[in-house]
Amino acid sequence: MKRLLIPLATACLSAAALAIPASAAPSWSTDNLQPKPADAYGAAYFWLDSNGAALRKATEYRLDTKVVPKIVSSGSNGATDGKPGMAGPTTPTKPAQSKNVNLPKTIGKVFFLDKAGRYRWCSATSVQARNRNLVATAGHCVFANGKDDVYDKWIFVPGYFEGKAPFGVYVGAYAFTAYDLDTYDDYDGDFAFVAVHNGFSLAGEKEVSRSQFKAWAGDKWIKPREIGLTEFLKCQLTLGDCWSEGEDKPSDLVGPDFVGAVLEKVEVTPAAYKDAKTGRGQGFKFGEPVVEQVDKATWDAYKGPGDRGAGADQFGNYTITHYFTQKWVKPGTSRKFYEAHYMIGIAKDMGRLGDVVGGQGVAWNQPLGQQVTAFGYPAAPHPDGDRPFSGVTPKWCAGKTATKSYQINTFKVETHQLLKCSMTPGADGGPWLMKYDNAKRTGYVNGVTSMFHDNDRNGRIDYISSALFDGEVADVYAKAQFAATKGIVGPNGELLK
């Protein structure tokens, strides 16, 4: 695959994170997600627009298989490939309140568009990182089919609870995974670390000038204010900022010099607007075209003469361009008068992920048979069709992992670790926390949910499996530590370069 340059921090990781000899085969792969702030803003706005409509529309991601993958004991005790190591958890520097008080704030959902354009989500967690910006999840929740590509508009929502994003959204900048997963679709390496930009949330609105409104790339809309006739007549001097509405007859049409003539606007096709004259006159152009950002449902339903374009723009937003000409009519008492107010949505910088919610620790080369607590957002039905989970609230399983590793031939798996658990797809990517402290809500990520299994073939999921967190995971984690990310919006909500 194509190698990409990643911004590196100046300091190095501790010796516990393994260095890769120059002669060794590569153990990691990386791809860009949305490294540029403008693109990252567009991705976040895509999910936050219309009060998070896209978040609610998303469905759980499922592996491309018609049957539950069969597991077979490998007979191996999961021998490690190096010395055991750990990176300790971190606590937030900006403590945040959450209604979900009994679960870690670090866990949440990742949202993305799959290769068919469908809105999808998986589970994930924030983990300890030198730049306080890393998310751990399953590799198949980041890399499309494990090969050569990543999903679009990838974001992380920590603390996701009943459709809310209490701590903001964090857009993925760079993704890291095992070389064998990315190159050979080998699910022994089904894990990923994603470096995310500072989080942000939409925080109100601000009135701006027409020129500022036109230049704004984010959320924007026109808010009409009803005014009186006297104010309207004064407003006509600034053509394009005010208009009137009301019923009229053909005989009401007059020229602009008619005493008391009232100006209204009529939406027309782009061609009619292009052919119209400029200035003051019946059927002349009425100001500049107005670009309206809308959600997909509004875009689909629009039947007017304006230009809908070919589809979503580079930010994933849908727009309709409206074209207007002048209509001059006799004054009448049935008319209402309006003035345009140009509004933009203001984004608030939430800071670095680890500063806001903290980060779980990471452990590698630990023996099997560990006591772990696995978290996730299960949603899919069991094989028998039963639907015990909604996907809108997190769930967990606790127990010891199996003392032998397992093979899953469907996905080239030779050594997965196994945990007895009834969570279903949607929990993909959720962390397996070793040494979990229920009081502190912290532990060490020693696996992430990769697959779901019906071991006794009774139509119910009874086991979940994860890649072994070995020295290869340590290598990828060490590489991800160097990814430097940035803020997307400034202190006044402005989009940063």
Side-chain angles (χ1 to χ4, degrees), residues 294-310:
V294 297
D295 58 28
K296 190 175 187 301
T298 302
W299 185 82
D300 287 335
Y302 178 72
K303 304 299 182 184
D307 182 10
R308 294 169 67 243

Side-chain angles (χ1 to χ4, degrees), residues 180-370:
D180 286 351
L181 175 74
D182 188 52
T183 307
Y184 304 116
D185 206 14
D186 182 348
Y187 275 66
D188 274 323
D190 188 22
F191 64 89
F193 296 99
V194 177
V196 296
H197 294 287
N198 284 16
F200 76 90
S201 62
L202 296 181
E205 61 185 30
K206 177 182 178 182
E207 185 170 357
V208 296
S209 68
R210 184 169 183 169
S211 60
Q212 291 173 316
F213 177 85
K214 188 175 181 179
W216 186 249
D219 193 14
K220 59 184 178 182
W221 60 95
I222 295 176
K223 181 183 290 186
R225 181 178 72 88
E226 188 170 353
I227 58 178
L229 175 59
T230 301
E231 192 174 0
F232 171 75
L233 293 174
K234 293 180 180 178
C235 181
Q236 286 188 54
L237 297 176
T238 57
L239 185 63
D241 291 328
C242 49
W243 66 94
S244 69
E245 295 177 358
E247 298 181 2
D248 53 69
K249 307 171 186 176
S251 59
D252 288 336
L253 297 178
V254 296
D257 296 329
F258 186 89
V259 178
V262 173
L263 172 63
E264 296 183 354
K265 61 181 180 180
V266 179
E267 187 170 7
V268 297
T269 64
Y273 179 85
K274 181 180 179 181
D275 292 339
K277 296 179 180 180
T278 302
R280 287 163 53 90
Q282 196 68 258
F284 286 26
K285 287 183 174 68
F286 188 108
E288 295 294 324
V290 175
V291 179
E292 178 188 17
Q293 289 192 342
V294 297
D295 58 28
K296 190 175 187 301
T298 302
W299 185 82
D300 287 335
Y302 178 72
K303 304 299 182 184
D307 182 10
R308 294 169 67 243
D313 63 16
Q314 61 177 327
F315 299 115
N317 301 320
Y318 292 86
T319 60
I320 300 172
T321 304
H322 302 279
Y323 301 84
F324 299 99
T325 58
Q326 302 170 36
K327 180 171 72 173
W328 294 88
V329 297
K330 296 177 183 177
T333 57
S334 63
R335 286 188 159 73
K336 292 184 177 181
F337 308 98
Y338 299 92
E339 179 183 50
H341 287 245
Y342 298 97
M343 314 300 296
I344 62 173
I346 297 301
K348 176 184 177 182
D349 181 80
M350 301 293 288
R352 299 184 302 180
L353 175 62
D355 292 334
V356 178
V357 300
Q360 299 295 340
V362 179
W364 55 90
N365 280 331
Q366 304 295 322
L368 292 176
Q370 293 284 340

Side-chain angles (χ1 to χ4, degrees), residues 378-424:
H382 284 282
D384 65 5
D386 183 56
R387 291 179 173 272
F389 305 113
S390 66
V392 298
T393 55
K395 304 297 179 182
W396 69 93
C397 296
K400 286 189 176 181
T401 60
T403 55
K404 301 290 184 181
S405 62
Y406 280 76
Q407 296 176 341
I408 308 162
N409 295 331
T410 308
F411 289 90
K412 305 178 183 178
V413 169
E414 296 181 356
T415 54
H416 259 203
Q417 54 182 322
L418 206 64
L419 176 67
K420 189 171 183 60
C421 178
S422 63
M423 288 195 294
T424 61

